């Protein structure tokens, strides 16, 4: 599972068209709000509900390590139903990757938030659409969602807190709908150590 987007997609150049300057600036800020933050560590708690029979609810604690553009979260004492989540690694999509793999199909603004919808360039791709919703006032991501051609879905809904000039994740609500697992969870971040040495 590519979480990564958990958390930031960078500015991009559209294939065959250019976004309006104001929407380009909105994307740039929302998808990389801390351009000079290179590393950090943080404490992480995952509260997860695994839907099944029987349903399972667990709370996991671990550590996040980030070296731009990669992040790895490792949890301790993970029970068998959540073993697939013992270690989560994600890599932020670069502008080159987006320009290569996606094209913007629509843009809407309801007065409070803007929604950008992307579709894959490649015919037959597993992803049907990638949707980014951005708060117009804070210029931060409100939601990122993948819809897949077979009906599967994955979404992240982040919340942020300010630390000096940085906007740091305080939590991310996760909804994953796949045949092999159906999970709702909340990742909570705390005790940030900005600029900490990180080896991934």
């Amino acid at each position: 599972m590519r979480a990564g987007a958990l958390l930031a997609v960078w500015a991009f150049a559209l294939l065959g068209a250019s976004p309006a300057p104001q929407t380009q600036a909105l994307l740039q800020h929302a998808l990389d709000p801390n351009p000079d933050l290179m590393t950090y560590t943080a404490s992480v708690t995952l509260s997860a509900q695994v839907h099944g029979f029987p349903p399972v609810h667990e709370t996991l604690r671990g550590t996040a390590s980030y070296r731009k553009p990669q992040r790895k979260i490792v949890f301790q004492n993970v029970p068998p139903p959540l073993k697939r989540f013992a270690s989560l690694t994600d890599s932020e999509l670069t502008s080159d990757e987006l320009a290569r793999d996606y094209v913007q199909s629509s843009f809407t603004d309801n007065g409070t938030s803007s929604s950008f919808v992307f579709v894959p360039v490649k015919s037959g791709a597993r992803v049907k659409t990638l949707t980014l919703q951005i708060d117009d006032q804070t210029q931060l991501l409100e939601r990122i969602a993948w819809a897949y051609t077979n009906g599967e879905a994955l979404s992240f809904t982040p919340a942020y807190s300010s630390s000096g000039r940085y906007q740091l994740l305080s939590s991310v609500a996760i909804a994953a709908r796949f045949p092999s697992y159906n999970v709702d969870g909340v990742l909570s971040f705390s005790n940030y150590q900005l600029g900490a040495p990180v080896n991934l």
Side-chain angles (χ1 to χ4, degrees):
M1 175 174 64
R2 188 169 189 174
L6 216 236
L7 303 168
V9 187
W10 291 35
F12 67 99
L14 291 178
L15 299 178
S18 296
Q22 64 272 24
T23 58
Q24 177 70 66
L26 181 66
L27 280 168
Q28 287 179 350
H29 185 274
L31 305 178
D32 190 16
N34 306 304
D36 63 340
L37 180 57
M38 297 294 109
T39 66
Y40 67 70
T41 60
S43 300
V44 181
T45 301
L46 171 63
S47 177
Q49 177 76 44
V50 181
H51 305 288
F53 186 80
V56 176
H57 183 272
E58 293 286 348
T59 299
L60 308 179
R61 291 176 174 80
T63 302
S65 300
Y66 173 80
R67 175 176 290 277
K68 199 168 192 172
Q70 292 185 313
R71 175 177 26 252
K72 185 175 183 179
I73 301 174
V74 178
F75 295 102
Q76 290 81 44
N77 303 319
V78 179
L82 294 178
K83 280 296 185 184
R84 71 174 69 246
F85 304 109
S87 178
L88 303 176
T89 301
D90 68 277
S91 180
E92 297 170 346
L93 293 175
T94 66
S95 58
D96 287 344
E97 288 177 296
L98 274 179
R100 181 189 68 218
D101 297 335
Y102 289 90
V103 62
Q104 185 177 324
S105 65
S106 68
F107 168 79
T108 58
D109 186 345
N110 62 13
T112 59
S113 63
S114 297
S115 293
F116 300 81
V117 179
F118 303 91
V119 295
V121 172
K122 183 179 178 181
S123 176
R126 181 184 173 213
V127 175
K128 182 179 180 180
T129 59
L130 168 62
T131 302
L132 306 176
Q133 185 174 329
I134 300 169
D135 185 290
D136 288 340
Q137 183 174 0
T138 65
Q139 298 188 356
L140 296 171
L141 271 175
E142 291 183 318
R143 188 169 183 266
I144 180 168
W146 292 261
Y148 298 92
T149 54
N150 61 359
E152 298 172 344
L154 175 65
S155 68
F156 297 92
T157 304
Y160 300 85
S161 60
S162 298
S163 177
R165 67 181 186 276
Y166 296 118
Q167 296 294 329
L168 303 177
L169 285 170
S170 57
S171 66
V172 180
I174 303 167
R177 302 291 181 265
F178 296 97
S180 58
Y181 59 95
N182 190 333
V183 177
D184 289 291
V186 177
L187 277 169
S188 299
F189 296 79
S190 61
N191 301 320
Y192 277 91
Q193 301 295 319
L194 305 183
V198 171
N199 291 313
L200 295 180

